[in-house]
Amino acid sequence: MELQDLYRDLILDHNRHPRNFGRLADPANHAQGHNPLCGDQLTVFVRLDGQTVSDIRFEGSGCAISTASASLMTEAVKGRDRAAIGTLYDKVHDLLTRRDTQADASLGKLAALSGVREFPARVKCASLCWHTLNAALSEGAATVSTE
Ligand code: ZN
């Protein structure tokens, strides 16, 4: 199986069966994100234990890439602390925007997003969940837009 096929299957699977989909009861930080270019809407809920994300969920509606990206993100950040999440975010951002970036092993399944950079109009679909997570981690409750 080609790597690109594996990545496509991961995206399709996470879109059809999003992980950590739903809400977290209070007390939890949350933020809403909106990508007007595509119409993607997300709410990300995070529960912090000190500096560590002990639980995370998301809900909303959007295209396959936005849903799959959010699903993959929740799996990747659960149990990590803010510093590790910041490092991961920087790597995902490079992966989505720089054609010369190779996915390193620490990205795990997030490497499946590398195909998105072939479609610049969809980069915001994939990054929306990360912007929304950052807002939830910093503000507690906020709304962000990719515009
Ligand atoms: Zn989208």
Side-chain angles (χ1 to χ4, degrees):
M1 186 186 244
E2 295 285 329
L3 193 58
Q4 288 309 319
D5 294 337
L6 178 70
Y7 286 171
R8 190 195 57 222
D9 287 352
L10 256 176
I11 298 283
L12 292 174
D13 179 51
H14 277 259
N15 175 52
R16 253 183 238 129
H17 308 288
R19 317 303 198 269
N20 302 303
F21 193 82
R23 308 174 69 91
L24 282 181
D26 288 332
N29 291 8
H30 69 279
Q32 293 182 310
H34 180 216
N35 173 19
L37 275 181
C38 180
D40 309 313
Q41 307 249 24
L42 285 177
T43 306
V44 173
F45 300 85
V46 288
R47 184 166 292 134
L48 287 164
D49 180 4
Q51 297 296 309
T52 300
V53 170
S54 59
D55 206 357
I56 178 167
R57 300 226 184 125
F58 79 101
E59 62 177 17
S61 61
C63 66
I65 289 172
S66 72
T67 301
S69 180
S71 174
L72 289 162
M73 179 190 78
T74 60
E75 285 196 326
V77 305
K78 196 188 271 193
R80 296 201 194 208
D81 66 21
R82 287 174 185 270
I85 291 168
T87 302
L88 203 54
Y89 169 73
D90 289 341
K91 288 182 180 179
V92 169
H93 188 262
D94 280 354
L95 188 70
L96 288 173
T97 56
R98 297 173 52 126
R99 298 183 73 91
D100 58 342
T101 303
Q102 296 291 316
D104 79 51
S106 67
L107 282 170
K109 290 183 196 168
L110 291 168
L113 298 170
S114 62
V116 173
R117 65 187 166 194
E118 305 301 328
F119 309 95
R122 312 308 297 278
V123 168
K124 287 179 176 175
C125 300
S127 60
L128 175 66
C129 58
W130 289 91
H131 295 303
T132 311
L133 172 64
N134 284 340
L137 287 174
S138 59
E139 305 288 337
T143 302
V144 296
S145 171
T146 56
E147 289 301 287

